[in-house]
Amino acid sequence: MSRKTKSNLQVAGIYAFIGIVFVVILYPLMWTIGLSLNPGTSLYGSSMIPENFSFVHYQWLFFNPASDYLLWYKNTLIVAVITSISAVVIVSLIAYAFSRYQFIGRKNGIYTFLLLQMFPVLMAMVALYILLNMVNLLDSLTGLILIYIGGAIPMNVFLVKGYFDTIPKELDESAKIDGAGHLRIFFTIMLPLAKPILAVVALFNFMTPFMDFILPSIILRSPENYTLALGLFNFINEQFGNNFTRFAAGAVLIAIPIATVFLFLQRYLISGLTSGATKG
């Protein structure tokens, strides 16, 4: 087999793999959009390409007095924005300390973060439930936000610390010679240069409240405190519930804030994803 033929086969294999992945991703997405445009509520009577398009389910979500969708949307946005901003601030400060300072327990602290990444949050659900109940934060968005921020620290600190390690320490030393303190170095040198990895941290932590169902279902009990994932689940979980098309319409609208944040941060994301955790 000639080199040109081998190269053509490799390219064809790559395109075939990309095509399969594209179909796997696109097929459920098209079904979700199609379901949301079906006028009925039954899953079995719906089709991916409806004959009669209807936006009745979107109208119901926004304008029906019985719908709490906008309230759930507001709750989720509050949790997502606060979690994302707080995680970026806290993670960047901790990562800066581990990257630039030498202190007792530094090495063991990094290993602890690595170890914590191996255990899913589900293992700590009982402990988290008891802890929130003790401090009267059960069934509150504040308790949910605190858990999301705490859960974001181990993995993201390791990523951001690895990115900080790639920034030359000579920049710090030059700034110190000019009289800059630790906080000024952090805010004027480290953070601007670390925008790519911070964008990754911000996006991932912004997405989590929109996607997570298990944690809100354990912590939140009042319908007025529900997030979108938990609220939409009740459309198909309640007795005699058959609102799959409304569920699909609500799920489609979840993509709007995530896509907006992604487009806003996209120029930083590629370099951030490929640069984090390259050094220990």
Side-chain angles (χ1 to χ4, degrees):
M1 182 181 299
S2 65
R3 180 178 299 179
K4 183 177 181 180
T5 302
K6 185 177 180 180
S7 177
N8 291 336
L9 289 176
Q10 290 176 347
V11 172
I14 292 173
Y15 278 110
F17 177 76
I18 293 174
I20 294 173
V21 173
F22 181 77
V23 171
V24 170
I25 295 174
L26 186 64
Y27 182 75
L29 179 61
M30 293 300 296
W31 255 111
T32 304
I33 297 175
L35 277 175
S36 69
L37 297 175
N38 277 271
T41 59
S42 175
L43 176 65
Y44 300 102
S46 303
S47 59
M48 185 169 64
I49 304 178
E51 297 180 0
N52 299 315
F53 292 93
S54 174
F55 293 94
V56 63
H57 304 302
Y58 294 96
Q59 295 175 359
W60 188 92
L61 291 175
F62 285 100
F63 303 110
N64 194 300
S67 172
D68 292 326
Y69 185 77
L70 290 179
L71 179 60
W72 302 337
Y73 216 109
K74 183 188 73 172
N75 293 341
T76 308
L77 283 174
I78 291 173
V79 174
V81 171
I82 295 177
T83 299
S84 181
I85 296 175
S86 301
V88 169
V89 173
I90 295 174
V91 165
S92 59
L93 287 170
I94 297 175
Y96 178 67
F98 275 99
S99 176
R100 288 301 193 258
Y101 301 135
Q102 298 293 332
F103 52 89
I104 298 175
R106 176 179 178 272
K107 185 175 181 181
N108 292 332
I110 291 294
Y111 288 152
T112 301
F113 286 142
L114 285 173
L115 183 63
L116 290 175
Q117 296 180 50
M118 302 178 185
F119 300 98
V121 180
L122 187 62
M123 295 180 61
M125 287 300 177
V126 175
L128 292 174
Y129 183 91
I130 296 174
L131 178 62
L132 292 179
N133 188 40
M134 292 173 59
V135 296
N136 295 322
L137 289 178
L138 201 63
D139 192 21
S140 69
L141 296 181
T142 303
L144 185 63
I145 291 171
L146 290 176
I147 293 179
Y148 279 142
I149 295 173
I153 291 176
M155 177 180 178
N156 292 313
V157 164
F158 185 73
L159 289 175
V160 178
K161 186 261 181 189
Y163 195 96
F164 282 164
D165 286 345
T166 64
I167 299 176
K169 293 185 178 180
E170 288 77 8
L171 296 176
D172 302 22
E173 296 171 358
S174 299
K176 290 178 181 178
I177 293 175
D178 293 335
H182 296 295
L183 289 179
R184 186 174 180 182
I185 293 173
F186 175 72
F187 285 108
T188 61
I189 296 178
M190 300 299 291
L191 290 188
L193 294 176
K195 284 181 180 178
I197 195 64
L198 296 180
V200 173
V201 174
L203 178 62
F204 285 174
N205 286 281
F206 183 84
M207 291 171 55
T208 299
F210 286 93
M211 305 298 181
D212 186 28
F213 165 75
I214 297 178
L215 187 59
S217 66
I218 295 175
I219 295 175
L220 304 178
R221 289 291 178 266
S222 303
E224 61 270 17
N225 291 330
Y226 283 176
T227 58
L228 278 173
L230 183 56
L232 289 176
F233 177 72
N234 290 327
F235 282 174
I236 56 177
N237 184 55
E238 294 177 347
Q239 188 176 14
F240 308 116
N242 193 25
N243 298 313
F244 287 96
T245 47
R246 290 177 186 171
F247 176 89
V252 170
L253 294 174
I254 290 177
I256 295 177
I258 296 176
T260 302
V261 174
F262 177 83
L263 292 174
F264 179 74
L265 299 175
Q266 65 174 338
R267 57 178 175 170
Y268 304 115
L269 292 175
I270 300 300
S271 57
L273 287 169
T274 56
S275 300
T278 56
K279 292 184 179 181

